[in-house]
Amino acid sequence: MNGQMMQQPLLISTLLIHAERHHAAQEIVSRRVEGDIHRYTFRDLAARARQAANALRALGAQPGARIATLAWNGYRHMELYYAVSGSGSVLHTLNPRLHADQLSYIMDHAEDDILFFDLTFLPLVEAVVDRVQCKTFVALTDRAHMPVTKLPNLLCYEELLAGQSDSFAWPALDENSASSLCYTSGTTGNPKGVLYSQRSTVLHTYAAALPDALNCSASDVILPVVPMFHVNAWGLPYVACMVGAKLVFPGPALDGKSLHSLFESEQVTLSAGVPTVWQGLLAYVETNGLSFSSMRRTIIGGAACPPAMMKTFQDLFQVHVLHAWGMTELSPVGTVCSFKPVHRTMDKSAQEAVQSKQGRVVFGVDMKIVDDSGRELPWDGKASGELLVRGPWIVSRYFKDEGGDPLVDGWFPTGDVATIDANGFMQITDRAKDVIKSGGEWIGSIDIENIAMAHPGVAMAACIAAYHPKWDERPLLLVVAKPGQSLTREALLAFFDGKIAKWWTPDDVVFVDAIPLGATGKMLKHKLREMFREHRLPTV
Ligand code: AMP
């Protein structure tokens, strides 16, 4: 016997319809590429998204066509999130930090038909225009700011919209139809596309908004620093419409000063980003003796959050850190480190130790860790193995079947190495390919980096495997010192005493000016391993 409830497909357009109907006056504030601050409401967003949907039809966008964006976090990008996916095309968010070679590969692999871009990225678009199939380019600006360019027939976004009606009937799509496409940062091989569906996106939005996940409500003012070109800004543009939260978009200004002034002027309560962006912000706030008057929570993920950063946020600024783990392949939220009652009675240092874990799954995701032969490992907080996940917003195959079937018995192998404790809290110890194998035993580089980052003179630290004649590999620590600090190798190594098993202590420390970061702000360890391939570790 079937249930007798209404059949309504889970569609991205319904999030916008809901936001307009129930939170019409809620604000969206954006720092624009043009330099000024723009503000409007969900009512305006909905009307302009409908105009943009009409404009897409006028440009000939077909159902399922890939429509690309190369844009910062801003209201025009948000309009495209809804106009493209809501009208049945596929929003392909491109990462502007990629090289022109990678970008043209991805655009042609995706078969993008139209590219909408922020003015900042004009040089990048000019660099790829002759190498891609895409023939329609739209600058996300008004006529007054249209650039002089060699791009043929460059269109102006505001003009496209101005010519269109703001009534548009969002189609009743199949909820399994594709809605958006995001390529993985992929440190090996070609980038691979993850093709989200209307259904997977809406289910992920429900889960991400939950109290023990990102914990978002209509009372929040959310500033996503995490870019809308990186896994849909962790779903926050959808979550904001679902819960009716105010949104604040930082545009291109991601330096500490610009972010802090926006946090204060808009009374932001919740933010989200990778650890590297918070470094600049914290340095600015600390150096200038400032504080956060409204921000109470920040979500840190995309790379392990160093406990020292967590302490600064929490102890100095009373901003609670939510450590989260996810992947492009997971839409991206997988786990969030929200306390269970058992943690509430712990002392502060025990709580901090729990917070350095990546946390527990949100409903919908299941996880397990396995050994080299695929046998499931116990949840004792000690055994570590590859992390596998499954759930309705997790990839089942890559776009155009790139790389073959990724699943193992219905589970997606993440390539991360982790432990899980008895409370179900997962902790990433490494990427499988970054793990250091010393005499056959694994050393997790994240632990070592976290300790180094706790040293007051260290701005950034990366630990990689270096060749060792006896042990095969031993840890080599690369350190960027804070300005004005005279750190020594010996002092830094002594800092590890008593904090870690003796044999995990790095064999050597090298001071560097910078650590190479990838397009999504993560340390490029494979690059570092290449750079230090010839490095000879001291023999005593
Ligand atoms: P991406 O698909 O670019 O978002 O990268 C996903 C990868 O980032 C994961 O497989 C992890 O290796 C890493 N990652 C994400 N969040 C965390 C975290 N909180 N701690 C450690 N690594 C993380």
Side-chain angles (χ1 to χ4, degrees), residues 137-139 141-144 146 154-161:
F137 297 90
V138 184
T141 190
D142 54 19
R143 178 47 59 186
M146 281 298 277
L154 177 62
L155 299 169
C156 166
Y157 182 71
E158 290 300 334
E159 271 178 11
L160 280 184
L161 257 59

Side-chain angles (χ1 to χ4, degrees), residues 389-413:
V389 290
R390 64 179 176 193
W393 54 82
I394 294 174
V395 74
S396 65
R397 60 217 294 173
Y398 290 100
F399 189 46
K400 297 186 172 172
D401 268 338
E402 206 60 54
D405 181 0
L407 303 191
V408 177
D409 296 334
W411 292 77
F412 174 72

Side-chain angles (χ1 to χ4, degrees), residues 184-186 230-231 234 300-305 323-329 332 358 414-416 428 430-431 446 520 522:
T184 59
S185 25
H230 185 207
V231 221
W234 299 348
I300 302 187
C305 175
H323 197 190
W325 168 87
M327 300 179 79
T328 307
E329 287 89 339
Q358 279 72 8
T414 62
D416 285 328
I428 305 270
D430 230 322
R431 285 296 288 166
I446 294 177
T520 54
K522 298 175 202 204

